[in-house]
Amino acid sequence: FRGEVMTLLGWLEALPEEVMRRRPQLLLQYSAALLWVGQLDDVEPLVLEIERAVGVSGEGRDEGLRPSADEPLRQVLLGGAAATRSWHAYLKGEPHNAIALARRALALLPDKDLELRTFAAFRLAEAYRTADDLEAASAAFAETAELGRAAGHEYLVLRAMSRQAKLQMARGRLRKADHVLQRTLRFAVERGGDSLPATGEAYVAVGKLLYEWDELETAARRLKEGIRLAERMGQFETLVDGYVALSRAEMAQDNTERALESAREANSLAQRSGAGEAIVEAAAWNARLHLTRSDMTAAVLELERAAGAPAVSVSMVRETEQIARARLTVARGEHEEALRLLEELRQSAEAAGRTGKLIEILTLQALALWERSKREQAVGTLTRALALAEPEGYVRTFVDEGAAMGDLLSAALEARQRGHLDATRIPARYLAKLLAVLAQESAAPDVGEQLSEPLSDRELEVLGLVAAGKSNGEIASSLFVSLSTVKTHINNLYRKLGARSRTQAIARARELDLI
């Protein structure tokens, strides 16, 4: 109930095999514990053993339960076995089979058996998620949390709430995800905080959210806490997710070697588990990481690894793989093929309500169009992504695309200044913030030594707006500050850049790769 899966496995594996065979309930707990830690291949023989014990398989029942005399226990075991099989089907990429098995489990399990009903409800929620029924998944996660509270099953309550938050993130609703995660962490604190291993998944989700909001140091701390707790419970899905996210944060902080090490750890864990979803997630990120280092051969090998993974039906997971393929296609200069692939992805993501992925896909479409010199179309496509992203505070989805995104964002800011209808929907302050973060990250390593003082984040924002041709009054309006404050920032820019005019300041900033 607390998620101490490794402890439970240690106890069960210390028992002689014949002891577990005489007590099918132990076999049920053992099969579930093995699934938690990703030992998929060892599960089916245990489930068959449970079914033999209750006389389902048609084989000998010498040591089995008599259905008539032990019907309540029989129903519990059959329901538990169906829930376990549902999980196994989910991990093997068979969502509709997983849904049917989870529903069977809930039909079989007695109302008073809250523990197993919580487990079955969680399996149903996960199955709905893999089948792309996000509304049904959200409702099922909510039911799981309610059942789990009644059962005292802290582990599944925390997991259900964490998954609910991740669903909100997939739908592009970062603010709602944050609200769910805050409630999740409050629940964890009430029940023991860091002593609950299941808190690890919540910490990883918080870390991913903070990363998107560009709070890199805090994000990395949360991710490391999440990984530490997930290791205690041996939960491979959370570990793979955590190491991929940590690798992204380390790359953003210019810790390339650590980023590669975390990415390798994610790959290793995924391969050991044999779970297709985890293998694809790790391989897709490794491919992107290699592309950022211009190592196309390594990227191709990773995508081959993803293609060879066990069946994965989760659209958002295969979507991640296909997005990585589109990135590779762009890197090869095959922009038309990339645009064709991205348009297919855009349509499916939009239809399924996966707004988080939709923002990334639109961003990549815009960059590919920009490379093809279809600049007006590129700005229009980026504007669609920005309109979806701005209310939720997206930052890294854009910034992680690097220098080309800076040029495209500057073009979007200019379009807004010219009064282009679509571009005017995007607040100048948001565009300036993204440009400021990009400028900070694209600056040469020795820029700090070339300047009398490094520029502050706000000064970089002002610099971006100055470069876009904004007047002092327009800058004040965009940043919601007074005119005198803007003048102070501009005077500071002149002093730090050694400039006497806007033109000189912009030229000097470009020399230093600040804009």
Side-chain angles (χ1 to χ4, degrees), residues 364-379:
L364 290 175
Q365 280 185 313
L367 287 166
L369 288 164
W370 186 261
E371 289 291 324
R372 294 287 291 165
S373 297
K374 297 180 179 180
R375 304 209 163 188
E376 187 174 344
Q377 197 177 344
V379 170

Side-chain angles (χ1 to χ4, degrees), residues 24-341:
Q25 285 167 293
L26 289 178
L27 291 175
L28 187 61
Q29 295 290 349
Y30 190 35
S31 64
L34 289 173
L35 283 170
W36 283 124
V37 298
Q39 295 183 31
L40 278 59
D41 295 338
D42 298 330
V43 171
E44 185 60 21
L46 294 173
V47 177
L48 289 172
E49 189 76 31
I50 294 166
E51 290 180 338
R52 278 195 292 271
V54 297
V56 167
S57 65
E59 299 179 12
R61 300 188 204 168
D62 309 3
E63 299 175 357
L65 299 168
R66 291 177 299 167
S68 58
D70 300 286
E71 190 60 25
L73 179 55
R74 186 172 186 270
Q75 294 293 100
V76 166
L77 291 170
L78 287 175
T84 301
R85 273 226 168 94
S86 172
W87 193 356
H88 197 259
Y90 150 75
L91 290 172
K92 290 294 186 182
E94 303 166 6
H96 298 294
N97 190 25
I99 289 170
L101 285 163
R103 285 174 173 166
R104 172 172 164 73
L106 288 166
L108 284 167
L109 291 167
D111 289 342
K112 65 180 181 180
D113 196 328
L114 293 175
E115 175 202 351
L116 280 175
R117 288 192 70 81
T118 303
F119 176 54
F122 185 75
R123 299 313 343 146
L124 181 61
E126 284 286 73
Y128 278 136
R129 181 182 69 85
T130 62
D132 270 343
D133 193 339
L134 303 188
E135 289 291 344
S138 184
F141 279 128
E143 183 182 355
T144 301
E146 187 177 340
L147 281 169
R149 286 190 185 93
H153 205 315
E154 296 160 347
Y155 184 26
L156 285 180
V157 171
L158 285 167
R159 292 212 73 190
M161 294 176 78
S162 298
R163 294 296 166 100
Q164 181 79 280
K166 288 168 75 173
L167 267 186
Q168 296 295 342
M169 291 169 72
R171 298 171 80 178
R173 301 173 179 176
L174 303 189
R175 310 290 182 193
K176 286 189 177 180
D178 184 42
H179 179 69
V180 174
L181 286 169
Q182 295 310 315
R183 286 195 292 113
T184 306
L185 293 178
R186 283 197 297 271
F187 177 85
V189 168
E190 290 167 5
R191 299 302 193 279
D194 281 2
S195 67
L196 290 174
T199 310
E201 184 167 2
Y203 279 146
V204 167
V206 170
K208 291 172 72 173
L209 183 60
L210 292 173
Y211 175 80
E212 183 58 54
W213 284 340
D214 197 40
E215 298 179 30
L216 299 182
E217 290 185 9
T218 311
R221 279 200 306 274
R222 286 300 201 188
L223 290 167
K224 288 172 183 176
E225 289 168 3
I227 288 168
R228 177 180 61 81
L229 290 168
E231 284 173 342
R232 278 181 50 194
M233 58 186 271
Q235 220 299 307
F236 75 94
E237 291 172 299
T238 303
L239 285 170
V240 171
D241 202 23
Y243 274 115
V244 166
L246 181 60
S247 178
R248 293 191 71 178
E250 288 165 339
M251 196 66 187
Q253 293 173 305
D254 286 328
N255 292 327
T256 306
E257 287 308 313
R258 288 184 184 176
L260 289 168
E261 185 180 338
S262 295
R264 283 193 292 268
E265 186 64 27
N267 243 347
S268 176
L269 285 161
Q271 290 294 325
R272 288 204 301 272
S273 77
E277 186 172 343
I279 291 170
V280 170
E281 182 189 1
W285 166 246
N286 272 269
R288 181 174 177 181
L289 192 56
H290 290 308
L291 284 177
T292 63
R293 303 174 72 242
S294 301
D295 190 344
M296 281 198 275
T297 302
V300 169
L301 289 173
E302 290 296 343
L303 290 173
E304 287 176 357
R305 189 199 305 271
V312 175
S313 61
V314 191
S315 295
M316 68 179 78
V317 176
R318 279 299 175 199
E319 202 168 55
T320 299
E321 177 195 352
Q322 291 302 311
I323 289 171
R325 290 189 184 282
R327 290 181 183 280
L328 176 63
T329 309
V330 170
R332 286 172 167 167
E334 301 167 4
H335 298 105
E336 291 303 322
E337 174 60 20
L339 286 167
R340 183 197 63 76
L341 176 57

Side-chain angles (χ1 to χ4, degrees), residues 463 466-467 490 494 497-511 515:
L463 178 61
V466 167
I490 290 176
Y494 286 175
L497 292 168
R500 296 181 181 178
S501 68
R502 287 181 175 232
T503 303
Q504 285 184 356
I506 292 167
R508 178 66 172 147
R510 283 178 177 152
E511 286 175 7
I515 56 173

Side-chain angles (χ1 to χ4, degrees), residues 254 439-451 454 512-514:
D254 286 328
Q440 188 75 54
E441 295 198 356
S442 64
D446 61 345
V447 163
E449 295 174 11
Q450 296 178 37
L451 292 173
L512 297 171
D513 289 328
L514 290 173

